[in-house]
Amino acid sequence: MAGERAAAEVPGTPEFRAVRVVIIGLMLGLMLSSLDFVIIAASMRTIADDLRGQTLQAWATTAYIVTSTIATPLFGKLSDLYGRKKLYMLAIGIFLVGSLLCGMAGSMYQLAAYRALQGIGGGGLTALAFAIMGDVLTPELRARYQIWFSAVSAIAGVAGAPVGGLFAGADTLLGIDGWRWAFLINIPIGIVALLVVHRKFTMPGKRREQRIDYAGAAWLVICLGPWLVVSEQGRHWGWASPLSLSLLALGLVGLVLFLTAERRMADAAVIPLRLFRNRLFTVINSANVIIGIGVFGSLIFLPLYLQLVKGLSPGEAGLMLILQTVGVLTTSRGLSKVINRSGRYRAFLLLGMGMVSGTLFAFVPLDRGSPLWLVGALIYLLGAGVGICFPVTLLALQNNSAKEDMGVSSAAYSFFRGIGGAAGTALFLSMMFSLADSRIAEAIARVGRSPEFQASLNDPAVLANPANQPIVETAKGAGGINLDDTSFLLTADRRLAAPVVDGIAEAMSAVFLAGGCVMLVGFGLAFLLPKRAKRTEAPRADLPKPEPAAS
């Protein structure tokens, strides 16, 4: 095996060419999972409108995040038992089936279920791509090919939003609704990746016995599921209703049983509890949850803000979102080495958290009349702040973990960021749509007696347009606006649509304010880090040696 890996470094050898092909297959798989979330975020407004479920879109997003977060460590350990190739092909297959079903969804509830299935495959793709790379490459080659994998993430970030906007902006492509191609585009890419890995990845795997924490994963789902349902539906049921309280209690029971299972599984747990004895591990991952809330929340809300408030098309909004990716790449690439050499994690995390928090606060006073260049500048600054937070937390965690804990610490990094993302997406979307109804009604009441608005209500051409009916009925006190389908704003009379957009903007401003406050909590957590941390060079003597864990 060592000879094959050494031969892979010599250009022109069969081993070198075979490794190149395998790496391309892994990059295609990683491209699937990297592109998917960005494309769907840019397309979600159109998807939710078409499925009459704009206020339910959190289900489709959080379902993917939760299942992929839980599946990532499980796939890593299962691959030690059954081999990387089998599990990687299984992950691609699950992802493709989920993508196909998502492209055929007829309601937001169906889409959420299929996204959950797709997330299981996405978690496997993320976990196994890097594990296989470690199997087939020497340490020297890993550093070289890591640049390729980083390029895949960068390309996905830059291209994903415009591609998603392109699909969402097309009525049909080849006789199929344009937005459905946001999912169906995965099929040809995934089939190529599947064929490449099946035919070219022939390295025999070494089976390693692993204890799989199935119980912990199941209790974690029982913990998070009810809480996410309440965060989404609590505004309808009532936060103190018997159903909401029952689900909150069920989630609490799931949490207790999850912690019990983790204690029993020790180092084989999804998240070994002994790691929390390390203060830096606890602080970093607490901040990581906050970062997940801010990052995923902004990724979901910015496309909605650009389309609903600024009136951009899906394609135009996708192009604007490139600024966020450019901001992330600028700071993450430029500062990673500086952060690593200096060890000043506190200072850089304060800078990153401060930038994200300040930018979210700067979004609060914006309205539909704010200049687009200002919005673009804030989007870039938001990305730049996120680009600082990511490498700081990851490097701090890795450089201060014992060598035998490196794999599980890195897995915990992804786990807690994903949990934060799911919670932030559900809570912020629920908050926005809870506030939108009252803010729209207030905005209509403010302008309801203006001559311009009254003229539009008495204009026969306006009254004949079905898109204006929800606003007309609300203005006359005969009903409310159903935000499950916001497509009426595209063709509604601008005089009538203006207060609706203003109400949505005010609701989003409240969400940006809440997001900024949450990031301030992370800013405070950063003060708990040491000013300068030292790299851990040896295993920690105070902790027992863990069992072998997946990469």
Side-chain angles (χ1 to χ4, degrees):
M1 182 62 63
E4 292 179 8
R5 290 172 60 166
E9 298 187 45
V10 182
T13 62
E15 291 83 358
F16 180 85
R17 290 191 294 270
V19 164
R20 281 290 181 94
V21 174
V22 170
I23 293 298
I24 291 173
L26 297 179
M27 290 171 63
L28 288 171
L30 193 61
M31 176 70 80
L32 284 175
S33 58
S34 300
L35 266 177
D36 180 79
F37 198 87
V38 183
I39 288 178
I40 302 308
S43 310
M44 186 52 76
R45 188 254 173 121
T46 302
I47 295 172
D49 279 345
D50 196 61
L51 296 179
R52 304 295 190 271
Q54 193 68 247
T55 62
L56 301 174
Q57 62 170 282
W59 289 82
T61 304
T62 55
Y64 183 96
I65 297 173
V66 170
T67 55
S68 63
T69 298
I70 296 174
T72 297
L74 294 180
F75 264 94
K77 291 191 175 184
L78 287 170
S79 69
D80 287 333
L81 282 174
Y82 303 109
R84 310 276 195 231
K85 180 177 178 178
K86 292 180 180 178
L87 267 296
Y88 193 67
M89 292 180 66
L90 177 62
I92 294 176
I94 293 173
F95 191 88
L96 292 184
V97 171
S99 298
L100 180 61
L101 291 173
C102 287
M104 300 166 61
S107 70
M108 285 300 290
Y109 291 112
Q110 287 183 9
L111 182 63
Y114 301 152
R115 286 285 282 168
L117 177 64
Q118 193 184 28
I120 295 173
L125 291 174
T126 302
L128 298 180
F130 293 99
I132 293 175
M133 185 174 71
D135 287 340
V136 302
L137 299 177
T138 62
E140 293 77 13
L141 282 179
R142 286 176 209 160
R144 183 189 308 171
Y145 285 107
Q146 181 64 43
I147 299 174
W148 293 27
F149 282 80
S150 298
V152 168
S153 299
I155 292 170
V158 172
V163 170
L166 175 66
F167 289 142
D171 291 334
T172 59
L173 288 174
L174 301 178
I176 300 173
D177 292 336
W179 66 262
R180 296 185 185 274
W181 285 100
F183 301 103
L184 299 180
I185 190 64
N186 295 328
I187 305 298
I189 300 175
I191 289 175
V192 172
L194 202 61
L195 291 175
V196 168
V197 174
H198 174 67
R199 297 185 61 181
K200 298 297 182 180
F201 183 46
T202 57
M203 190 187 76
K206 291 183 178 180
R207 179 177 177 130
R208 291 193 298 167
E209 292 300 325
Q210 290 280 2
R211 297 170 65 200
I212 310 298
D213 189 12
Y214 296 115
W219 290 125
L220 185 59
V221 171
I222 293 174
C223 167
L224 296 176
W227 287 352
L228 292 174
V229 170
V230 172
S231 68
E232 172 60 29
Q233 294 295 314
R235 67 183 189 275
H236 300 304
W237 302 336
W239 300 107
S241 67
L243 182 56
S244 295
L245 294 177
S246 297
L247 288 175
L248 290 174
L250 177 61
L252 184 61
V253 171
L255 175 62
V256 172
L257 293 174
F258 169 71
L259 294 176
T260 302
E262 299 306 273
R263 181 178 296 276
R264 184 174 63 251
M265 293 296 292
D267 287 314
V270 174
I271 300 294
L273 298 183
R274 65 172 178 80
L275 294 175
F276 289 96
R277 300 175 196 167
N278 183 333
R279 176 189 171 190
L280 187 66
F281 177 91
T282 303
V283 172
I284 284 292
N285 280 298
S286 298
N288 208 11
V289 172
I290 302 298
I291 294 170
I293 292 174
V295 171
F296 286 97
S298 66
L299 192 60
I300 294 299
F301 271 95
L302 286 179
L304 282 177
Y305 176 82
L306 292 171
Q307 294 177 59
L308 290 176
V309 177
K310 303 305 294 180
L312 300 185
S313 69
E316 292 168 338
L319 291 174
M320 284 286 291
L321 291 174
I322 293 177
L323 293 170
Q324 186 180 27
T325 302
V326 172
V328 171
L329 295 176
T330 300
T331 51
S332 63
R333 296 289 186 269
L335 293 179
S336 291
K337 292 183 179 180
V338 177
I339 295 169
N340 202 27
R341 285 198 303 266
S342 68
R344 297 183 181 276
Y345 305 126
R346 181 201 287 184
F348 282 105
L349 188 55
L350 286 171
L351 175 62
M353 290 285 196
M355 286 184 65
V356 175
S357 180
T359 304
L360 291 174
F361 286 137
F363 267 107
V364 173
L366 300 188
D367 55 28
R368 59 188 172 90
S370 301
L372 199 58
W373 67 263
L374 177 58
V375 175
L378 292 178
I379 290 174
Y380 174 84
L381 289 175
L382 185 63
V386 170
I388 297 173
C389 293
F390 275 166
V392 171
T393 50
L394 181 59
L395 290 170
L397 202 60
Q398 290 180 338
N399 290 348
N400 293 274
S401 295
K403 291 181 179 179
E404 66 268 24
D405 288 339
M406 188 67 72
V408 71
S409 294
S410 299
Y413 169 85
S414 299
F415 176 85
F416 285 107
R417 189 179 66 183
I419 294 300
T425 299
L427 289 172
F428 287 162
L429 281 173
S430 179
M431 179 180 178
M432 191 197 86
F433 288 112
S434 294
L435 293 173
D437 289 340
S438 61
R439 300 299 169 89
I440 290 172
E442 292 170 2
I444 291 177
R446 285 196 300 267
V447 302
R449 296 184 180 181
S450 67
E452 185 180 25
F453 193 83
Q454 286 297 320
S456 65
L457 290 179
N458 297 315
D459 187 337
V462 171
L463 296 177
N465 183 357
N468 295 320
Q469 290 308 307
I471 311 174
V472 172
E473 291 175 0
T474 301
K476 294 181 177 180
I481 294 176
N482 184 0
L483 291 178
D484 278 328
D485 182 1
T486 62
S487 59
F488 70 91
L489 291 174
L490 300 175
T491 54
D493 183 85
R494 63 175 182 80
R495 295 168 294 180
L496 295 180
V500 178
V501 173
D502 288 340
I504 293 173
E506 291 174 12
M508 286 192 170
S509 292
V511 172
F512 285 127
L513 178 62
C517 292
V518 169
M519 295 306 294
L520 279 182
V521 175
F523 188 84
L525 284 172
F527 281 102
L528 298 178
L529 294 176
K531 289 184 177 181
R532 183 191 292 269
K534 295 181 180 180
R535 179 190 295 269
T536 300
E537 296 293 348
R540 291 170 46 203
D542 62 315
L543 296 182
K545 186 175 181 180
E547 300 173 1
S551 172

